[in-house]
Amino acid sequence: MATAQSLGDQYWIAMNLAKLGQVAQHRGDVSAAIRQYKASIDVFQRLGMPEANQVRSLLAAVEDPAGVGASAKPVTPGQALLALVRAAGE
């Protein structure tokens, strides 16, 4: 994260924020996960990157873990991370 910040690389800053959200989520720190995911989404949106939608899926899984409000098929954090990594390679 520090390297991305020192280089001003907004894309990798957003990727790192998403990963920090996943770490927080797996530790059970829901508020930190939500904060990191939202920050990641903000950066991806500013950049006009489609990865914002993938991070929204991660955020939705944290905010609505039972998927009660979801109409789409649930996405696990692992699936969303895989999609982010694949998108980064494109």
Side-chain angles (χ1 to χ4, degrees):
M1 180 76 144
T3 302
Q5 287 176 324
S6 69
L7 295 173
D9 190 330
Q10 295 297 302
Y11 179 84
W12 286 106
I13 289 171
M15 289 291 285
N16 282 305
L17 288 166
K19 187 61 180 170
L20 288 171
Q22 288 184 309
V23 169
Q25 181 179 357
H26 288 291
R27 285 188 4 228
D29 190 346
V30 173
S31 63
I34 289 170
R35 208 171 35 254
Q36 298 294 346
Y37 288 149
K38 286 182 176 181
S40 175
I41 291 166
D42 288 345
V43 176
F44 278 136
Q45 280 184 304
R46 265 196 323 271
L47 296 173
M49 302 300 293
E51 287 86 340
N53 291 327
Q54 293 157 339
V55 181
R56 279 188 195 94
S57 294
L58 293 170
L59 178 61
V62 172
E63 291 181 325
D64 188 12
V68 175
S71 59
K73 183 174 127 183
V75 176
T76 68
Q79 290 169 325
L81 176 60
L82 181 58
L84 278 171
V85 170
R86 285 181 179 154
E90 294 176 357

